[in-house]
């Protein structure tokens, strides 16, 4: 037990004698651990957000106002038969209006739909088409609007008025989250390397400052680990 107290006492004495490099090493290691602790949940959050955005990306197909129920049913069957289509959801104009109002409420913005004359609903019926993978979205869009006789894209059904997708927004969000993730990872690696180098340099300085003591202890027969333990404690 007396040896343990001796090792602790010698380690604390060495810390006092080389306070500046020891404090610098401790602060650097603490900052590195703090950044790593922040990095882990940030990486998890950015990864989850990216996957959430990727899951929400799809095609929005707007229909003409004169589309009949039979036209809608036929188009839904065609869309479900396209390769790599994971799901097809029909959104009526009434549902679209409710979604728009919910978005205004979620953003704490004024409900502009209340200003519509005579409670008129200007939104068209639409389909939400989700791909099985984001990479297959261009192929699905090409299948919905293949080249016509004149070489220009034409919809597979005359009731399709417009086709929108959100690939650009999803790409921007993905790039930002990836840049944030790799930036934090790079900073953490640099700080980790700096911490290891600083700790190693502090140990070398401490050993150099006490080289006379080490030599004397070796001459009187102290074992290597008896000499090392104060440095381990420090």
């Amino acid at each position: 037990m007396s040896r343990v107290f001796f090792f602790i006492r010698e380690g604390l004495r060495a810390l006092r004698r080389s306070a500046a490099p020891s404090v610098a090493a401790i602060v650097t290691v603490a900052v590195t651990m703090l950044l790593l602790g922040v990095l882990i949940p940030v990486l998890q959050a950015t990864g989850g957000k990216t996957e959430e955005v990727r899951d929400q990306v799809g095609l929005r197909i707007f229909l003409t106002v004169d589309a009949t129920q039979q036209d809608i049913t036929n188009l839904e069957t065609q869309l479900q038969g396209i390769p790599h289509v994971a799901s097809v959801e029909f959104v009526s104009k009434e549902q679209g209006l409710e979604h728009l109002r919910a978005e205004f409420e979620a953003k704490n913005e004024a409900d502009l739909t209340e200003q519509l004359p005579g409670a008129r609903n200007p939104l068209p019926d639409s389909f939400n088409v989700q791909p099985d993978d984001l990479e297959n979205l261009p192929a699905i869009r090409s299948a919905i609007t293949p080249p016509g006789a004149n070489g220009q894209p034409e919809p597979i059904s005359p009731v399709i008025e417009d086709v929108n997708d959100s690939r650009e927004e999803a790409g921007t969000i993905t790039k930002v989250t990836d840049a944030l993730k790799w930036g934090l990872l790079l900073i953490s690696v640099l700080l980790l390397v700096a911490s290891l180098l600083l700790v190693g340099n502090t140990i070398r300085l401490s050993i150099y400052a006490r080289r006379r003591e080490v030599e004397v202890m070796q001459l009187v027969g102290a074992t290597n680990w008896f000499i090392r333990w104060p440095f381990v404690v420090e």
Side-chain angles (χ1 to χ4, degrees):
M1 185 61 69
S2 60
R3 286 190 176 188
V4 173
F5 288 117
F6 171 77
F7 294 148
I8 295 175
R9 185 170 60 253
E10 288 297 308
L12 294 177
R13 185 168 65 90
L15 282 175
R16 288 194 299 269
R17 291 175 59 181
S18 55
S22 298
V23 170
I26 292 172
V27 170
T28 305
V29 172
V31 171
T32 303
M33 293 298 101
L34 178 62
L35 190 58
L36 288 176
V38 173
L39 178 65
I40 293 174
V42 167
L43 292 178
Q44 292 177 341
T46 53
K49 190 63 178 178
T50 301
E51 291 300 322
E52 180 182 345
V53 171
R54 290 173 68 92
D55 292 339
Q56 293 177 354
V57 172
L59 295 175
R60 188 78 181 272
I61 302 174
F62 297 101
L63 309 182
T64 57
V65 294
D66 58 350
T68 63
Q69 185 59 45
Q70 185 61 41
D71 294 331
I72 294 174
T73 302
N74 294 338
L75 177 58
E76 184 174 6
T77 303
Q78 288 179 284
L79 295 175
Q80 290 174 344
I82 296 176
H84 304 298
V85 171
S87 64
V88 177
E89 178 189 8
F90 175 71
V91 180
S92 64
K93 59 175 63 178
E94 292 78 13
Q95 292 174 326
L97 186 61
E98 290 299 325
H99 291 166
L100 184 60
R101 288 173 175 169
E103 289 182 6
F104 284 133
E105 183 177 355
K107 297 178 181 179
N108 293 323
E109 297 178 355
D111 190 355
L112 301 180
T113 61
E114 296 178 353
Q115 303 178 13
L116 296 175
R120 188 167 165 270
N121 186 356
L123 300 178
D125 295 330
S126 62
F127 278 106
N128 290 333
V129 178
Q130 297 293 331
D132 55 2
D133 189 272
L134 185 59
E135 304 299 328
N136 296 322
L137 194 60
I140 297 175
R141 175 154 190 167
S142 298
I144 296 175
T145 55
N150 57 358
Q152 298 297 323
E154 294 183 3
I156 57 178
S157 173
V159 298
I160 296 178
E161 184 173 11
D162 193 17
V163 179
N164 290 339
D165 63 61
S166 52
R167 282 179 295 172
E168 184 175 352
E169 293 82 355
T172 301
I173 294 175
T174 302
K175 289 179 181 178
V176 171
T177 53
D178 287 345
L180 177 63
K181 178 172 64 177
W182 287 110
L184 288 174
L185 187 61
L186 178 61
I187 294 174
S188 299
V189 170
L190 292 177
L191 279 176
L192 186 61
V193 172
S195 299
L196 294 176
L197 293 177
L198 187 56
V199 169
N201 187 57
T202 303
I203 293 174
R204 288 192 182 94
L205 288 175
S206 180
I207 294 175
Y208 181 79
R210 297 163 59 187
R211 64 189 185 280
R212 299 294 184 187
E213 298 179 22
V214 172
E215 291 176 358
V216 171
M217 295 176 72
Q218 288 177 332
L219 290 174
V220 298
T223 62
N224 289 336
W225 272 110
F226 187 88
I227 299 173
R228 290 171 183 164
W229 270 115
F231 297 102
V232 174
V233 172
E234 181 183 352

